[in-house]
């Protein structure tokens, strides 16, 4: 596996892979890699001749400076995992390499970014669009892989791809969970031991709500999820919305979705750690 830190070397190395006739899969990450990331790499490996993984904690997508400072950075362990997973190139740039000058681009992300994480984390999705569009233009992959845990982020990236007309297939991959149901996240390591025990209740309650949805209205189910989680002293629900899976627009009835099964998207503090998760209502 090549570890590359400059954009020029990245372009050269990718050009060599393409000259060998290999298709290229890109897995953008912010490091602190876990089994969820490796599942994206495995999928990319299975579907492409070569795999590039970027490891970059992107400052422009953090609207909270403490979150940026405390975001886990584990480069050595990350490289070991990527090497073991058969990655061809790990691209690990500095902030100066990615942003030699401030990125002032403002993307018209439209309605998919106007709800949920959009208003809660102003500027976050624009920052994601900035960094992912840079990675896409450096690597020009055939396919790029993203985890469904960040369900709204995938819709935002699809919108950015449409705006920029990138000929890249966006592949969304299922959430990976711990045995107790907690969605894998680089932030889980920041949970206290006590809160780590409580955190799987987010998925448990969401899963139970799918059963309730067979007999109860969407507003009733939504309120039940919020009230049940908030009854734990460790939790504080920031939002729970049940949305159309493509437009991300909140629904008020189960049959209102125009694009398939409604998806419930939650952001919930567990102590001071902000966790996100989601569930499909295949009714
Ligand atoms: O999902 C993430 O880890 C990040 O938002 C991404 C897509 C790597 C962009 O920095």
């Amino acid at each position: 596996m090549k570890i590359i830190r400059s954009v020029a070397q990245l372009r050269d190395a990718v050009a060599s892979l393409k000259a060998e006739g290999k298709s290229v899969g890109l897995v953008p990450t912010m490091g602190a890699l876990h089994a969820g990331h490796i599942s994206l790499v495995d999928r990319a490996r299975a579907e492409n001749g070569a795999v590039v993984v970027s490891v970059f904690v992107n400052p422009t997508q953090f609207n909270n400076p403490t979150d940026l400072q405390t975001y886990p950075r584990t480069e050595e362990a990350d490289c070991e995992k990527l090497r073991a997973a058969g990655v061809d190139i790990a691209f690990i740039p500095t902030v100066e390499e990615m942003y030699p000058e401030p990125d002032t681009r403002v993307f018209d992300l439209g309605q998919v970014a106007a709800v949920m994480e959009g208003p809660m984390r102003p500027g976050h999705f624009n920052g994601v669009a900035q960094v992912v569009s840079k990675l896409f233009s450096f690597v020009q992959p055939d396919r790029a892989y993203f985890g469904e845990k960040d369900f709204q982020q995938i819709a935002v990236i699809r919108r950015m791809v449409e705006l920029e007309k990138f000929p890249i297939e966006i592949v969304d991959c299922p959430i990976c969970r711990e045995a107790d149901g907690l969605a894998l996240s680089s932030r889980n390591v920041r949970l206290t031991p006590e809160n780590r025990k409580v955190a799987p209740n987010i998925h448990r309650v969401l899963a139970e709500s799918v059963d309730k949805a067979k007999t109860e209205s969407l507003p009733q189910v939504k309120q039940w999820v919020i009230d049940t989680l908030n009854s734990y002293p460790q939790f504080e629900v920031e939002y729970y919305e049940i949305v159309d899976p493509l437009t991300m627009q909140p629904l008020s009835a189960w049959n209102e979705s125009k694009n398939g099964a409604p998806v419930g998207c939650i952001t919930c503090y567990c102590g001071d750690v902000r966790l996100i998760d989601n569930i499909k209502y295949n009714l």
Side-chain angles (χ1 to χ4, degrees):
M1 180 179 84
K2 281 191 179 145
I3 298 178
I4 292 181
R5 297 184 192 273
S6 86
V7 173
Q9 282 172 8
L10 175 67
R11 286 191 199 275
D12 285 352
V14 172
S16 305
L17 293 170
K18 289 184 182 170
E20 290 170 33
K22 291 181 172 163
S23 61
V24 174
L26 172 68
V27 183
T29 81
M30 296 207 300
L33 302 179
H34 50 64
H37 296 110
I38 301 306
S39 75
L40 304 183
V41 171
D42 290 345
R43 175 93 180 257
R45 176 90 272 166
E47 294 179 355
N48 300 276
V51 178
V52 178
V53 177
S54 60
V55 175
F56 178 63
V57 181
N58 171 37
T60 74
Q61 72 187 75
F62 284 81
N63 56 326
N64 174 341
T66 316
D67 196 19
L68 173 60
Q69 266 163 21
T70 58
Y71 200 85
R73 288 161 169 88
T74 56
E75 185 182 310
E76 220 170 291
D78 290 347
C79 286
E80 265 171 46
K81 288 176 189 166
L82 295 178
R83 208 171 277 121
V87 166
D88 297 87
I89 297 174
F91 176 52
I92 313 182
T94 60
V95 173
E96 294 69 32
E97 185 67 14
M98 283 302 278
Y99 297 106
E101 51 203 47
D103 192 338
T104 53
R105 292 174 298 160
V106 177
F107 291 83
D108 173 16
L109 297 172
Q111 60 172 2
V112 294
V115 292
M116 302 191 287
E117 295 294 280
M120 288 298 165
R121 303 182 69 189
H124 167 66
F125 282 137
N126 197 61
V128 170
Q130 288 175 338
V131 76
V132 175
S133 65
K134 276 178 183 265
L135 292 168
F136 282 4
S137 57
F138 301 155
V139 177
Q140 300 182 17
D142 296 277
R143 299 175 192 85
Y145 295 79
F146 296 91
E148 280 184 345
K149 184 172 79 64
D150 297 297
F151 193 73
Q152 190 180 6
Q153 172 172 276
I154 298 181
V156 166
I157 288 166
R158 287 189 194 284
R159 168 75 179 159
M160 180 278 289
V161 163
E162 185 185 295
L163 288 170
E164 301 295 304
K165 301 192 169 36
F166 282 118
I168 297 171
E169 183 190 340
I170 303 302
V171 183
D172 37 349
C173 304
I175 300 178
C176 287
R177 299 186 180 278
E178 299 282 4
D180 59 13
L182 179 64
L184 295 190
S185 163
S186 306
R187 290 194 164 88
N188 292 351
V189 294
R190 294 187 358 212
L191 292 165
T192 64
E194 187 212 350
N195 288 349
R196 173 64 190 80
K197 284 189 197 135
V198 176
N201 285 294
I202 297 175
H203 176 61
R204 184 187 61 76
V205 169
L206 291 184
E208 264 184 58
S209 80
V210 175
D211 276 341
K212 286 202 171 288
K214 290 173 190 148
T215 51
E216 291 181 29
S217 72
L218 186 149
Q220 281 170 327
V221 168
K222 178 177 159 179
Q223 200 54 48
W224 178 81
V225 167
I226 296 170
D227 293 345
T228 308
L229 287 173
N230 279 340
S231 70
Y232 289 81
Q234 294 87 349
F235 286 145
E236 192 185 336
V237 175
E238 191 171 76
Y239 63 78
Y240 185 55
E241 292 292 356
I242 301 174
V243 303
D244 179 294
L246 281 190
T247 67
M248 299 293 121
Q249 297 314 289
L251 305 170
S252 50
W254 296 118
N255 61 4
E256 218 176 74
S257 172
K258 295 193 174 61
N259 299 293
V263 176
C265 298
I266 194 155
T267 291
C268 182
Y269 277 91
C270 184
D272 59 2
V273 182
R274 191 172 185 271
L275 297 176
I276 70 172
D277 202 343
N278 61 74
I279 197 122
K280 286 192 176 64
Y281 290 93
N282 272 314
L283 302 176

